[in-house]
Amino acid sequence: MSAPDGPLDPRGVRFAAIVTTVVLALVLLSGSGWLALAQTLVFALGAFAGMRFAPYGVLYRLVVAPRLGPPAEREPAAPVRFSQLVGFVFAAVGTVGYLAGLPVLGIVAIAFALAAAFLNAAFGYCLGCEMYGLLARARA
């Protein structure tokens, strides 16, 4: 993994969740394993290369953020990066399901990823971030 990312603008995290929600909904509607693979790669970049390389975050920083004022607060990157890892796992399983001719596996895995992305997009509730906190407390 790369060096730790700095604190994140929560509006960028939510923007990424909105785009992810749309992409995953399109995967479910189309049954496209290739679109699922594209989203899996997006998750992989955020999880393994770092949030500064996550494509939707880059889009936010280059296109959306310059039109906004500075964020009122920042959030740590580690929980968000962990949520990208969780999304990667579910999207990878979904991609394998779709591309291997196991559409039920694809649908179930992508639906779980979609539910988590929707919670963040609609309500600002990051399920992966909460899991990260629970795991951190369990380790302590």
Side-chain angles (χ1 to χ4, degrees), residues 20 24 36 39-44 47-48 79-95 109-110 112-114 116-117 127-129 131:
T20 300
L24 293 173
Q39 180 60 52
T40 301
L41 295 175
V42 168
F43 281 136
F48 299 114
V80 178
R81 194 166 174 179
F82 178 79
S83 72
Q84 293 289 296
L85 177 62
V86 173
F88 167 78
V89 170
F90 279 96
V93 170
T95 298
I110 295 298
F112 277 115
L114 174 60
L127 192 57
C129 300
M131 288 173 53

Side-chain angles (χ1 to χ4, degrees), residues 47-129:
F48 299 114
M51 295 308 298
R52 67 185 163 279
F53 299 108
Y56 304 152
V58 171
L59 180 64
Y60 174 80
R61 284 193 312 277
L62 295 177
V63 177
V64 180
R67 291 164 173 70
L68 305 174
E73 59 189 41
R74 298 241 178 214
E75 63 184 61
V80 178
R81 194 166 174 179
F82 178 79
S83 72
Q84 293 289 296
L85 177 62
V86 173
F88 167 78
V89 170
F90 279 96
V93 170
T95 298
V96 168
Y98 280 118
L99 295 179
L102 302 168
V104 173
L105 177 62
I107 290 167
V108 170
I110 295 298
F112 277 115
L114 174 60
F118 177 77
L119 283 173
N120 199 348
F123 306 109
Y125 184 80
C126 178
L127 192 57
C129 300

